[in-house]
Amino acid sequence: MSNEEELRRLVTSAQAGDGVALDRLLVRLRPVVMRRCSRFLPHHADAEEAAQDALLSISTHLDTYRGRGSFLGWVTVIASNAARATYRSMRRRAEESHAVVPEGTDPRTTSVIAGTRLDLMESLAALEARHPALVESFVLRDLGGLTYQQIAEITQAPLGTVKDRIHQARRFMRDRLAGGR
């Protein structure tokens, strides 16, 4: 039995109320969800928090998955949204606490990857604020690695619309990350 067939069987059984199948499904999905959240959030504990939120959402909303599009695509949407929500929550808490970045941060000990991911999250937040219809397709393609066809199925949008949304989002993100606010 292939991994895809096994996954499909677990989903069907879990949707029918099989608790053991649900547990097995969540165990199988955990590394996938954690990798997805880690692409958004530079700190392991933050990615872990987002992954837990995503797995909880998957387990409570599994009955809403109807087999339209790939199951892993559906999981990717949930994990990406959980990571973005965790980021927004962290940002809101930092703003409310008036957190100050310490002076004299040593650039040799500051992660370049963390910095670029934070820049990415800031740019995604700006994209979401200005062009919310573009975010999902962009995240699924450029951060989730899904095909245009998979994204069209998940978003239930025509393929041309998906391509246009991704093109517009990439242009916005490129300008934003290059310093054009």
Side-chain angles (χ1 to χ4, degrees):
M1 182 180 298
S2 74
N3 282 337
E4 198 170 306
E5 291 170 3
E6 169 79 10
L7 200 56
R8 210 176 0 256
R9 187 185 59 73
L10 286 172
V11 168
T12 302
S13 296
Q15 286 178 322
D18 183 344
V20 173
L22 178 60
D23 289 343
R24 286 185 182 148
L25 177 64
L26 294 175
V27 166
R28 292 272 310 273
L29 293 176
R30 189 178 192 300
V32 173
V33 170
M34 188 63 192
R35 275 192 305 276
R36 176 70 51 233
C37 292
S38 294
R39 291 185 81 176
F40 284 91
L41 301 164
H43 192 269
H44 181 77
D46 299 332
E48 184 75 37
E49 178 183 335
Q52 289 299 322
D53 290 345
L55 290 168
L56 177 61
S57 184
I58 289 165
S59 68
T60 57
H61 297 100
L62 188 60
D63 61 328
T64 66
Y65 175 70
R66 298 285 178 234
R68 187 164 168 81
S70 83
F71 178 70
L72 288 178
W74 184 78
V75 167
T76 297
V77 171
I78 291 173
S80 299
N81 288 341
R84 290 174 40 225
T86 298
Y87 169 77
R88 284 191 299 269
S89 174
M90 291 168 31
R91 185 172 170 207
R92 194 171 34 256
R93 286 191 307 253
E95 288 171 355
E96 289 170 358
S97 70
H98 306 291
V100 177
V101 175
E103 295 273 338
T105 303
D106 185 351
R108 293 171 298 176
T109 60
T110 303
S111 168
V112 173
I113 294 171
T116 57
R117 286 186 180 161
L118 291 175
D119 292 341
L120 175 64
M121 294 305 294
E122 289 290 331
S123 296
L124 269 175
L127 177 64
E128 187 170 35
R130 293 189 189 136
H131 308 286
L134 306 180
V135 175
E136 184 177 25
S137 295
F138 172 76
V139 166
L140 292 173
R141 177 70 187 146
D142 287 6
L143 301 176
L146 298 181
T147 67
Y148 292 111
Q149 187 60 47
Q150 288 171 318
I151 296 165
E153 291 171 8
I154 290 168
T155 61
Q156 298 181 353
L159 188 59
T161 300
V162 167
K163 289 179 178 181
D164 183 59
R165 287 175 180 167
I166 293 167
H167 174 74
Q168 288 181 53
R170 284 176 177 164
R171 186 175 53 226
F172 178 89
M173 295 295 283
R174 184 176 44 249
D175 291 348
R176 176 84 182 189
L177 290 169
R181 300 277 166 191

